[in-house]
Each structure stands twice: as structure tokens, then as C-alpha cells.
Amino acid sequence: MQAQMVPFIISEDARGQANFYMQALGGEIDLLTTFKDMPGIPETHQDKVMHMSLTLAGGNKLILTDAFQETGKSTSMGMAITFVHEEDARAAYRHLSDGGTEKYPFALQPWGAYYGEVVDRYGMTWQMVHQG
């Protein structure tokens, strides 16, 4: 079996979250559609994001959609991202922790890699790794 897995985030603010990730990791929006063309969608939801596809950090895909109701924040799932350059990993750690919580400081670990973990302002857990 061959397949590609792409993280899909149901967000209370897909546009804001996408912009935050593009600033933190570098990237761009590949596709953005809203609910305005869907039949039966209330006026208050027509500008909400139905599907937004991003390319982040040099080629990684991420999809976001706006939730129709409060989603709550869960730290039971997160993103792990391995960087080629230590300075890129440090910058991502710093940017993603802005407005969030630093769970584990980015530092050289006994196993020889640099590692750090943050929960961003949207509740997503990120693990940054650089193999030293």
C-alpha cells in the first residue's frame, strides 16, 4: 500500500493559525476555499475556511479548516519536525512558543540530538529536532 499522510487541523481560527505557522516556519497557502458556495450554509459561516492547504518549512503539507463550534484544545496529538540546520530549529522553537508554552527547552540532549518541545498559542504541540 502506498499513501501520503497530511496533518489536518480543525481550527477555531484557520486563517490566523495558518498565518502564524507561515510566519514561524516559512511557507505559503496553496489552496483556500470557503463555505460560501455550499448550499444551506448560514450567512454567518460563509466566509469560514472550508479547506486551506499550506506548504510549510520547505515542502511539508498541512491542511486546516474552520470549526463550526468550539473545538477545545487537546495536546494528545502534535507535530514533530526535524531540521537540517540547528539555527532553523532554534528559530522555529522561538517563533512557535510565542504566545504558547515552552514544555521542554531546546537544547543538546544526551542522545546527541538537539530537541525542544512547545505548545503553541493554538494548543498544538510541536517537537523540534536537529540531529547534531
Side-chain angles (χ1 to χ4, degrees), residues 9-85:
I9 297 173
I10 300 169
S11 176
E12 292 180 19
D13 178 15
R15 284 183 179 91
Q17 195 165 356
N19 286 330
F20 179 70
Y21 294 155
M22 287 187 294
Q23 289 174 358
L25 300 169
E28 62 189 13
I29 296 172
D30 301 319
L31 177 69
L32 171 61
T33 59
T34 64
F35 286 100
K36 71 179 175 189
D37 296 322
M38 299 297 293
I41 298 297
E43 184 76 27
T44 57
H45 289 79
Q46 290 190 4
D47 196 41
K48 287 190 174 276
V49 173
M50 183 171 73
H51 181 92
M52 182 187 303
S53 175
L54 306 176
T55 300
L56 299 171
N60 299 282
K61 298 293 185 179
L62 179 66
I63 297 171
L64 292 99
T65 188
D66 273 321
F68 277 84
Q69 59 193 26
E70 187 175 323
T71 60
K73 296 198 172 156
S74 170
T75 57
S76 63
M77 183 172 167
M79 305 284 192
I81 184 165
T82 301
F83 292 86
V84 173
H85 302 290

